[in-house]
Amino acid sequence: VMRHVFLINPHAGKQDQTARIRALADRLAAAHNLDCRCLLTDRPGGAEVLSRALAETGELVRIYACGGDGTVHEAANGIAGFPNAAMTVIPAGTGNDFLKNFGPDAAKFSDPEHLWDGPEFPLDLIDCNGQRCALTLACNGIDARVAADVHKYSVLPLVQGKGAYIASLLVNFFFKGIGSHWTVYLDGVPQTGTFSLVTVCNGRYYGGGFLPVREASMTDGVLNTLVVKQVTRRAFTRFVAPYSKGEYWRFPQYAQSYTAKEIRITSDEDIVTCLDGEILRFRDVTFRLSDKKLNFFAPKGASPDATFTPIDQQQRKNSL
């Protein structure tokens, strides 16, 4: 018997949506005679603990991560590699960048009626130091430092989503500097110098809708890593807008994309790393394609590659 479990983060988004989601679960159970139940996360990391406990029972379970990208990240880490467990998303956060990969079908995820019997498929994951996985992106450098500070600005009036990201970017840009001195190894080949960012992409969106590498896909078994070397503030201001649209290739003098299987960064100082919004700090960090897959289910016909254009497809072919 398949269990349907709604993991609700009551602190996600601007207001508690627990009552609304409970009503959706009750309606789904009554309409289709399903075993539906709701569990609330009571602390950071709670969705990971609950989802792993459900997966470890060995029973068939479909998990609905009800929250923002942080809740999605936690649930994915909880069930990654478990063949009996699959997850989906009911958006209740502020950014919901993960669902942007599904294009127009992202709206269907708000109603579990579109989800409960949807097809299941595997998604790739980024392994970070063998400790955690990222579903969408693992960024390091100024964009990670920006992400670490976004919450400070998202509470301000009129500053939401991409606006909060831009506010954090400006503060880091003007007051904290851009570059970090690292050694970056791409499949063992070192580059030592000052870098603005190294972003390892599995999915396509972060920061409220920024699209750093258009050819990234969660289903192709390839990680796309964007390496941006030290740039001046003046050059960086010209770079940000094209970068947000995946047009890094317009700046080949300091931005390069790679499909390395292993990416390692070392430093004498802390490297700020952002995994799907979770902030970690290392002095030696390695990323690779995880051996684990994430079982994901979605509305019929929905695809995580829905936003690919013909240009993106060609760019993807060129990168492989």
Side-chain angles (χ1 to χ4, degrees):
V1 177
M2 178 72 73
R3 299 170 66 189
H4 296 259
V5 180
F6 292 71
L7 292 185
I8 305 170
N9 180 355
H11 304 293
K14 296 303 172 188
Q15 59 186 26
D16 185 354
Q17 299 191 45
T18 301
R20 180 183 71 87
I21 295 168
R22 283 189 185 277
L24 289 173
D26 289 344
R27 189 175 70 194
L28 189 72
H32 303 286
N33 192 29
L34 300 177
D35 176 2
C36 293
R37 63 192 66 186
C38 295
L39 298 175
L40 270 62
T41 64
D42 59 354
R43 63 186 187 279
E48 181 174 350
V49 173
L50 291 171
S51 60
R52 181 173 291 117
L54 290 165
E56 286 176 342
T57 66
E59 299 177 6
L60 293 176
V61 60
R62 284 197 155 190
I63 293 171
Y64 302 72
C66 308
D69 290 309
T71 309
V72 175
H73 171 79
E74 290 180 10
N77 272 273
I79 71 166
F82 284 93
N84 57 301
M87 69 171 283
T88 193
V89 178
I90 294 180
T94 50
N96 301 307
D97 283 311
F98 168 74
L99 285 184
K100 290 181 173 69
N101 289 281
F102 290 85
D105 284 325
K108 295 181 180 178
F109 284 83
S110 295
D111 187 349
E113 186 63 42
H114 297 300
L115 299 170
W116 71 275
D117 61 346
E120 187 176 308
F121 47 86
L123 295 180
D124 297 333
L125 293 165
I126 304 169
D127 177 280
C128 174
N129 270 5
Q131 301 172 10
R132 297 199 62 73
C133 290
L135 180 53
T136 307
L137 285 101
C139 52
N140 312 268
I142 187 170
D143 52 350
R145 289 189 281 119
V146 167
D149 292 345
V150 160
H151 68 280
K152 297 178 183 177
Y153 308 100
S154 61
V155 297
L156 299 177
L158 305 178
V159 180
Q160 304 298 332
K162 201 170 184 177
Y165 186 88
I166 291 172
S168 180
L169 175 64
L170 291 173
V171 171
N172 275 274
F173 174 74
F174 284 112
F175 300 108
K176 297 185 181 181
I178 299 173
S180 301
H181 187 76
W182 296 336
T183 298
V184 178
Y185 301 84
L186 299 168
D187 288 336
V189 179
Q191 303 178 35
T192 299
T194 305
F195 297 85
S196 297
L197 59 88
V198 174
T199 301
V200 183
C201 303
N202 184 41
R204 290 157 61 81
Y205 300 95
Y206 79 139
F210 275 62
L211 173 59
V213 180
R214 301 187 66 98
E215 59 268 29
S217 167
M218 291 184 285
T219 61
D220 64 358
V222 173
L223 299 180
N224 297 86
T225 300
L226 187 63
V227 176
V228 180
K229 295 182 178 179
Q230 168 77 329
V231 295
T232 64
R233 281 188 169 88
R234 183 177 179 182
F236 196 78
T237 57
R238 294 198 306 269
F239 176 68
V240 169
Y243 168 77
S244 73
K245 298 182 289 186
E247 297 176 358
Y248 63 85
W249 44 266
R250 290 172 51 186
F251 300 86
Q253 64 272 37
Y254 45 77
Q256 295 288 333
S257 180
Y258 301 88
T259 54
K261 296 182 183 302
E262 181 180 281
I263 304 94
R264 181 186 177 198
I265 310 170
T266 62
S267 177
D268 293 333
E269 300 180 347
D270 282 353
I271 302 160
V272 180
T273 295
C274 178
L275 303 180
D276 299 338
E278 180 183 11
I279 306 302
L280 302 170
R281 287 172 171 82
F282 305 97
R283 295 200 174 186
D284 189 338
V285 60
T286 299
F287 306 98
R288 59 173 62 90
L289 192 70
S290 176
D291 294 333
K292 300 175 182 177
K293 296 285 187 179
L294 176 70
N295 295 325
F296 192 84
F297 61 101
K300 293 181 179 69
S303 167
D305 291 336
T307 62
F308 273 92
T309 67
I311 294 174
D312 300 335
Q313 294 285 10
Q314 187 58 51
Q315 186 77 12
R316 186 173 169 188
K317 289 179 182 177
N318 293 343
S319 71
L320 298 178

